[in-house]
């Protein structure tokens, strides 16, 4: 009977969080939820300093795409978790970020444009994708990135 009771017990869904410092126990007063459902707990002040779009977003009342989780608002964004994670790491004072794939690079360019973030700092990280080996192995992506 115990086996049946365990099988009939409702399953609890586990919320996926990004890596430190964006994990569930991290400091943050807002949660950004990526398009693939990963939660990133962040500080509004850092987001607002990095992006005028976030600054404006936090100045106005939150709309219907915002939910509250443990008194911390959750905002759905259209970026995937690899793009959102890398973008947040670039916003925060943290160790150097390596951008190793073209999909993440292109997603970052779109996200920086969307959130009106100056891209000059991003170019430093993107140039590493344009090595001679990368150009030979992925000429079309390298051309598009350049």
């Amino acid at each position: 009977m115990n086996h049946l009771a365990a099988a009939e017990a409702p399953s609890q869904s586990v919320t996926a969080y990004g890596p430190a410092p964006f994990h569930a126990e991290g400091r943050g007063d807002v949660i950004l939820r990526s398009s693939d459902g990963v939660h990133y707990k962040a500080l509004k002040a850092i987001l607002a300093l990095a992006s005028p779009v976030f600054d404006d977003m936090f100045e106005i009342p939150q709309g219907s795409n915002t939910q509250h989780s443990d008194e911390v608002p959750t905002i759905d964004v259209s970026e995937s978790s690899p793009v959102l994670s890398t973008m947040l790491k670039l916003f925060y004072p943290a160790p150097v970020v390596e951008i190793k794939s073209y999909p993440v690079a292109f997603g970052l360019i779109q996200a920086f444009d969307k959130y009106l973030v100056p891209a000059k700092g991003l170019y430093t990280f993107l140039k590493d994708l344009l090595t001679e080996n990368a150009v030979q192995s992925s000429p079309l992506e390298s051309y598009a990135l350049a």
Side-chain angles (χ1 to χ4, degrees):
M1 252 204 229
N2 287 342
H3 178 53
L4 288 175
E8 293 174 6
S11 63
Q12 294 179 343
S13 64
V14 177
T15 302
Y17 275 85
F22 312 111
H23 53 82
E25 295 80 26
R27 286 189 169 177
D29 50 6
V30 66
I31 295 173
L32 301 178
R33 182 173 31 223
S34 67
S35 61
D36 48 349
V38 180
H39 293 68
Y40 294 86
K41 199 170 193 181
L43 292 167
K44 289 180 182 179
I46 291 177
L47 299 176
L49 287 171
S51 163
V53 173
F54 281 117
D55 189 28
D56 290 346
M57 185 185 304
F58 300 139
E59 291 295 321
I60 59 174
Q62 299 299 310
S64 62
N65 69 335
T66 304
Q67 301 169 354
H68 289 275
S69 170
D70 297 328
E71 302 303 318
V72 177
T74 300
I75 300 171
D76 290 315
V77 297
S78 61
E79 288 72 32
S80 67
S81 57
V83 171
L84 184 58
S85 177
T86 304
M87 183 174 74
L88 290 172
K89 288 175 186 174
L90 289 169
F91 289 177
Y92 271 64
V96 176
V97 175
E98 289 186 42
I99 302 169
K100 297 182 180 182
S101 75
Y102 287 104
V104 170
F106 293 130
L108 282 170
I109 292 169
Q110 291 174 337
F112 270 52
D113 185 52
K114 174 181 173 181
Y115 295 110
L116 303 175
V117 178
K120 72 177 187 178
L122 179 61
Y123 297 139
T124 303
F125 299 102
L126 294 178
K127 71 177 183 175
D128 294 337
L129 280 176
L130 296 175
T131 63
E132 187 174 335
N133 289 339
V135 171
Q136 289 177 358
S137 65
S138 303
L140 185 58
E141 289 88 351
S142 297
Y143 179 76
L145 188 59

